[in-house]
């Protein structure tokens, strides 16, 4: 099942450059792990914002939650989750 | 260039069933025209809402505007437009 | 999978008593159909509001969408949908 | 009487891992105490969010307040409280 | 148990003076019925707004809902409901 | 003249238990001073929230401001102030 | 006592030019009545908006409510009311 | 002096095609009158929205108000007005 | 030209009493400087809030900006600025 | 292609004067670099606010993102991005 997830990052002001770099590196590794295994289908940057719009294809809400909470930056993000389903006007057979 | 567009439909209360059907049919034709010609890449239904999340791939903002304003329901929709760009953590070469 | 859905009803001002009664009767029949078949697990009234909080247990987002859009009052409701999953602190084995 | 309570957790940025673990352990103990004694009927995680939706069955608003303010994370949560009552369309005899 | 309820009235634009007067008269009768029987403890006008702040003392949320939905203007009001309980700093014995 | 004041408390994260206790004790003393002298008529706790709804009966807005700014927690509260007046449907002679 | 009142006008779409003119003429007469008698101290237009910011000097909230509800456009305005008092840094003796 | 004005158009649902065309033609004439005389410096369409962002260069707020209220669609627009001034980092001598 | 400016103060939590006093003293001096020279026409306290509503009469937006940014508390305030012009119903010749 | 970007600056409270000056100097250098090379067409200060409205003319959303994220204050700004296109009523040939 498909989710559209928007993640807006709010890095704490008290973090120094080094801590930020460490989190970003670990964040990259986690998201790329799930891109390679296929759950994380699309990861787009919203132009001009420190936020992304992602399309995730998972077995259940529990799996979605597991993936998102595994992101090191999870506690520092405002996350919007939308459950997607087939649109009657969509001509594609599959949703991705 | 890629846009993520969310369209929330607010059908006027005064419309009767017939008028609604007519608009929905014409809406379908317009969106499928652009799905076939490739600009309208994805069209997903947000579960439980009369709204969709779409990914459009166009040459310019003007082209995006032309496509969206061609939709019969355009005047009756709350539309959010986000310009997308390549995310540094995305492993896909192309954005779609 | 479980959804928590909040539905706030906005009856159009132009409707007369008869039309309202008709919709409410058909709304009741639809919601009770799905309560009997088990998808609609809980239906609570929010005290002092023309809105309800419901817990639905469905196979997919598509099924959720089918049930909600089948409600006659669907076009006249502000609906919030939240995908639920098991809470690490919950002592119940099952989620309902 | 039944309440639907949504709790969104905002862990202070200045907390270290150890402090967070301590709070989460004590939070778990408190919520499980009231799950076992029956007031805290349901505790669901909202997928993708550090928040839960709970159904509490208490004698009075005072009891609700006592339980919620006993949670160690109470000062660090945005809490929404909705008083529930029997829905005219609900086919269940009891509300839980 | 005590509720603080704020009711903001939005009279439909299409109503003529006569219809408005009729509703206001019936609204007065209903609210005064419950003021006399004691559930509706206080009814204050918010200066400069077509809204009131009321304190209701009822047996249950269901009773609150019954009273509010009995108001003819119920479908035309934005209503906020807050469940009240004893404040630790209050020196009054009773809450009203 | 009567005011309905809602005070939502946001204790700074950096405070330790001792500082919090000190402020709460001084807050209690100040609010009870004005409850005893009659300006602070009602002080109710909103169930599940670190906020209160209060009814104050004062000579002028200046007096209201003096009382509220005397509260030690004043700088750490989101405060909503509504000026109340007699409701045409209220059967009570006096407003409190 | 002084109030700062912001009034945003929302003329119903169904009104024709004649009805609008009638309301505007009566609105002018009412506001000028209170400007002449001194309660309505200032009436400014917000540039680019169909709204005004006014300073009213009245005896009580009840008098404020009487004046505002006497305005023919009262039911068609979003009104914000703020109670004003002397600022410690103001060098003027009087508030107007 | 410079203003940045955002105008979001909400055409009433009850208007037919002919009435809409008439308003749009008159709207065009008014805006082009002020573009030619120089007050209306820039008029941009926001992609995907029935709204524009405009830069107006006028003598006073009163002149801004006169121009905007002369637009036939003025009563049917949500308008945001921001007063602009020279930015310390701007390298252009003039603001347009 | 006239501006209505609302300034809501948010003193940083980390400041101690001494630092707060210093800022308030310097803030007073700056605002009184411009009250004496006439630009700052009115300065009112909003009852119950740490905010003020002010009327400033300046030559240009640039002068408004200069005055407001000279306030020591400028970085710690949420500021709303509204450009005012003559109201057609105002009977006063001048706007102040 | 043209973007209208609004940037509201929120300097962290913990920064001292020196750190602020350093960031502002580097911010100025970055924005002036792109003003000189032509992407950053207009940079206006919003009167009374620590924010600016800018018009950027770039090749792609990616280029917009590169420029904005290069600003030292980027992590400390609330940024709104609007994609602009030619307005049918605009008499200018070019959009800038």
């Amino acid at each position: 099942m498909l989710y559209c997830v928007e993640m807006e990052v709010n890095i704490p002001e008290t973090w120094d450059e080094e801590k930020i770099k460490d989190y970003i590196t670990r964040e990259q590794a986690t998201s790329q792990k799930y891109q390679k295994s296929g759950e994380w289908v699309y990861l787009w940057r919203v132009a001009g914002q420190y936020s992304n719009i992602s399309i995730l294809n998972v077995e259940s809400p529990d799996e979605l939650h597991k993936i998102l909470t595994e992101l090191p930056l999870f506690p520092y993000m405002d996350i919007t989750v939308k459950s997607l389903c087939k649109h009657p006007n969509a001509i594609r057979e599959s949703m991705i």
Side-chain angles (χ1 to χ4, degrees), chain A:
Chain A
M1 47 183 291
L2 229 51
Y3 282 98
C4 178
V5 181
E6 187 160 355
M7 304 174 217
E8 199 185 312
V9 179
N10 310 299
I11 299 271
E13 292 165 15
T14 51
W15 286 15
D16 56 36
E17 303 277 338
E18 211 198 304
K19 185 166 184 177
I20 295 174
K21 245 188 216 126
D22 165 53
Y23 264 84
I24 287 178
T25 314
R26 290 190 291 127
E27 188 83 0
Q28 183 177 46
T30 310
S31 90
Q32 292 189 339
K33 180 176 96 176
Y34 287 107
Q35 290 181 62
K36 281 169 198 145
S37 54
E39 293 86 355
W40 204 314
V41 182
Y42 287 113
L43 168 59
W44 296 298
R45 171 64 81 215
V46 179
Q49 311 277 353
Y50 197 163
S51 70
N52 74 63
I53 290 180
S54 291
I55 305 296
L56 287 100
N57 187 16
V58 291
E59 292 305 315
S60 68
D62 301 77
E63 192 185 14
L64 174 74
H65 193 71
K66 180 175 158 296
I67 293 173
L68 296 180
T69 49
E70 214 180 291
L71 293 166
L73 286 174
F74 174 75
Y76 312 106
M77 295 201 279
D78 288 329
I79 297 181
T80 321
V81 172
K82 284 172 186 164
S83 222
L84 302 180
C85 44
K86 189 127 175 40
H87 192 289
N89 295 353
I91 60 173
R92 280 174 178 266
E93 258 322 297
S94 90
M95 288 177 64
I96 35 167

